[in-house]
Amino acid sequence: MKIVLSGIRPTGNLHLGNYYGAMVNFLKMQEDKENNCFFFIADLHSMTTHSDPKLLQENVRNILATYLACGLDPEKATLYIQSDMDDISKLYYLLATLSPVADLNKVVTFKEKSQQNPDNVNAALFTYPVLMASDILAFNADFVPVGKDQKQHLEFTCHTASRFNQRYGVNYFKEPTPFIAKDQALVKIPGLDGSGKMGKSEGNCIYLIDEPKAIEKKVKGALTDNGPEGVNTPKPEYIENLFTILKVVSTPDVVAHYDNLWKTGEQKWYGNLKKQLAEDIITVTTPIRERINDIKNDDAYLRKVTQLGAEKARAVTSKTLADVREIMGLNYFK
Ligand code: TYM
C-alpha cells in the first residue's frame, strides 16, 4: 500500500484553485485500492496568519463539510483535524532541531506572508515548513497531492527526511513525492484579476460555495481587453488565465472553439467566453454547494467523522513518534 497524505488550511472557504490543485487528486487517489489515504484540515498552520477563534471554528466546519461534499469518504480515506494529533506537534519540535534557519530563510511563502502582514511575523510562520514536514513524515507518506505553490515546502520535507537519516545513521524516513496526476501537471489556477494565482489572501477567488449569481458577476468582472491584436498573436497573461480556468471546467471542444477564435484575430467574443465560463463553473460547483449546505450543521456527523479519523491516524503516528524518540536517544531507563 502507498501512503497518500495532504491537507488544506482552514483560512476561508475552498476555491477553484484548491479544488483543481488538490481536491480532484484527493478524490482520484482515495478510489485506488493500492492507496491508504490521509486527508486533514491544517488548523495549526492556519493559526500562523489567522487568529480569530470564532472564525477558526466556522472555517474548520466549512472545510470539513466541503471535504465530504466533494466526495471524500470517511470509509475510504482517513479524515482528521491536525490539532487533534498531539504526536505531530511533538514531532514538529524534534524536527525543528534538525531545521537550519538558513533554509527556512529561503522559503518564498514566508517572505510573501511577512510582507502581506508585517505586524504578525511570528515564529510559527517561520517554522511553517517544519510542521508541514512533521505532517508528512509522521505517516512516512509516499505521495503528497498538492498544487504547484507547495513544491518548495515539499522540498524542505525531503531535505528534513534525508538530514534525519544521515544525522542518526538510519534509513527511517522516506522522501515523499509531490503527486502529479497523469492527465494534468501540478496546476496553478490563476485569479480573475489578471495575474498570479487564485488565493484566499489575494481576494480573487471563485468559491465552491458561491451562488450562481455571484459566480456570473465575478467572471463578468474578469480583466479583458478588446480582443487579439492580430492573427496568431501570443495571449497576454490575463487572457491566458481565462483559458486556464476554461480548460479545467469545460470540454475540450469548447476550449478549441475559443482558442480558434483567438487565433483568427477576431474581436468581440469575450462576452460569450465569459458566459460559457461562468456556466461551466456553475455546473461544477452547484452539486457541491448544495451538499455543503446539507452537511455543515450536522454536528453529530462531523464529530463522528473527525473522532474516527483521529483515532485511525493516531495508530500510525504513535508508532512513528516512538521510533523517532528511540532513534534520537529519548529513551531513558529501560
Ligand atoms: P493551502 O490551504 O494554501 O492550499 C490547499 C491546497 O490547494 C492548493 N492550491 C492551489 N492549487 C492550484 N492553484 C491555486 N491557485 C491554488 N491555491 C491553493 C495548494 O497547493 C494546496 O495543495 N501548506 C498547505 C497545507 C498543508 C499540507 C501539509 C499539504 C499543511 N501540511 C502536508 C500537504 C501536506 C497549504 O498551505 O495549503
Side-chain angles (χ1 to χ4, degrees):
M1 292 282 271
K2 293 289 180 201
I3 306 260
V4 174
L5 174 129
S6 195
I8 296 183
R9 284 173 308 146
T11 49
N13 289 308
L14 291 202
H15 51 76
L16 286 184
N18 303 129
Y19 186 72
Y20 287 102
M23 182 58 73
V24 165
N25 290 330
F26 294 5
L27 293 167
K28 270 194 209 137
M29 293 173 104
Q30 83 164 357
E31 295 309 325
D32 188 335
K33 298 253 176 324
E34 297 293 301
N35 291 338
N36 188 7
C37 293
F38 296 86
F39 299 121
F40 67 98
I41 298 179
D43 57 344
L44 296 176
H45 273 122
S46 78
M47 293 171 83
T48 58
T49 49
H50 292 62
S51 57
D52 181 335
K54 258 188 105 171
L55 214 58
L56 178 65
Q57 299 197 347
E58 201 180 303
N59 285 336
V60 167
R61 173 187 295 279
N62 281 335
I63 303 278
L64 181 60
T66 308
Y67 270 13
L68 296 162
C70 287
L72 288 185
D73 180 350
E75 305 269 318
K76 294 180 184 160
T78 302
L79 309 179
Y80 63 91
I81 299 175
Q82 187 183 34
S83 64
D84 280 341
M85 305 290 297
D86 292 347
D87 294 334
I88 289 181
S89 299
K90 290 179 187 159
L91 185 61
Y92 161 65
Y93 180 81
L94 298 177
L95 296 184
T97 68
L98 292 132
S99 301
V101 166
D103 287 6
L104 291 168
N105 260 328
K106 289 186 204 133
V107 176
V108 174
T109 44
F110 175 70
K111 291 183 197 156
E112 283 170 0
K113 295 256 146 68
S114 311
Q115 272 165 9
Q116 276 165 10
N117 202 350
D119 295 334
N120 187 20
V121 183
N122 57 74
L125 184 66
F126 186 62
T127 53
Y128 187 114
V130 184
L131 181 57
M132 192 153 155
S134 313
D135 289 327
I136 298 168
L137 298 179
F139 294 84
N140 239 328
D142 295 283
F143 294 113
V144 183
V146 281
K148 207 171 173 180
D149 60 327
Q150 297 297 311
K151 248 184 110 190
Q152 198 186 18
H153 287 156
L154 279 189
E155 279 159 17
F156 184 89
T157 300
C158 290
H159 293 156
T160 306
S162 70
R163 208 174 292 120
F164 179 90
N165 290 344
Q166 251 173 26
R167 183 176 292 180
Y168 294 100
V170 289
N171 190 11
Y172 187 73
F173 284 131
K174 281 184 236 170
E175 294 189 25
T177 314
F179 177 75
I180 306 171
K182 282 193 195 77
D183 51 352
Q184 174 194 28
L186 281 170
V187 277
K188 179 169 136 192
I189 301 293
L192 290 173
D193 49 354
S195 66
K197 70 163 187 170
M198 184 176 287
K200 291 166 232 172
S201 351
E202 283 74 9
N204 59 5
C205 296
I206 295 182
Y207 294 102
L208 297 177
I209 196 129
D210 275 346
E211 295 288 336
K213 282 259 163 312
I215 295 176
E216 279 164 11
K217 197 167 160 217
K218 286 181 184 178
V219 175
K220 216 170 162 185
L223 184 66
T224 45
D225 49 27
N226 291 330
E229 301 270 298
V231 180
N232 257 335
T233 52
K235 297 187 186 94
E237 188 182 354
Y238 50 93
I239 299 297
E240 192 64 76
N241 287 351
L242 291 183
F243 275 87
T244 302
I245 304 180
L246 195 69
K247 272 181 207 142
V248 294
V249 296
S250 300
T251 51
D253 52 316
V254 168
V255 179
H257 169 71
Y258 287 103
D259 224 14
N260 285 334
L261 278 178
W262 173 269
K263 284 184 189 137
T264 59
E266 213 178 293
Q267 298 202 330
K268 301 221 167 77
W269 45 271
Y270 286 154
N272 287 345
L273 167 69
K274 285 180 174 180
K275 238 169 110 187
Q276 176 82 47
L277 183 58
E279 204 174 285
D280 293 340
I281 294 173
I282 291 166
T283 306
V284 173
T285 55
T286 295
I288 299 174
R289 184 184 74 254
E290 288 172 356
R291 281 196 296 269
I292 294 175
N293 290 330
D294 286 346
I295 300 170
K296 84 171 189 203
N297 293 315
D298 190 346
D299 276 40
Y301 177 54
L302 298 180
R303 194 175 324 109
K304 198 172 125 205
V305 168
T306 50
Q307 274 176 356
L308 178 80
E311 264 168 43
K312 284 205 292 190
R314 277 186 212 120
V316 181
T317 59
S318 60
K319 163 93 174 53
T320 308
L321 192 70
D323 290 345
V324 169
R325 287 186 62 123
E326 177 94 23
I327 292 167
M328 294 180 92
L330 293 161
N331 53 342
Y332 315 112
F333 319 124
K334 276 190 257 176

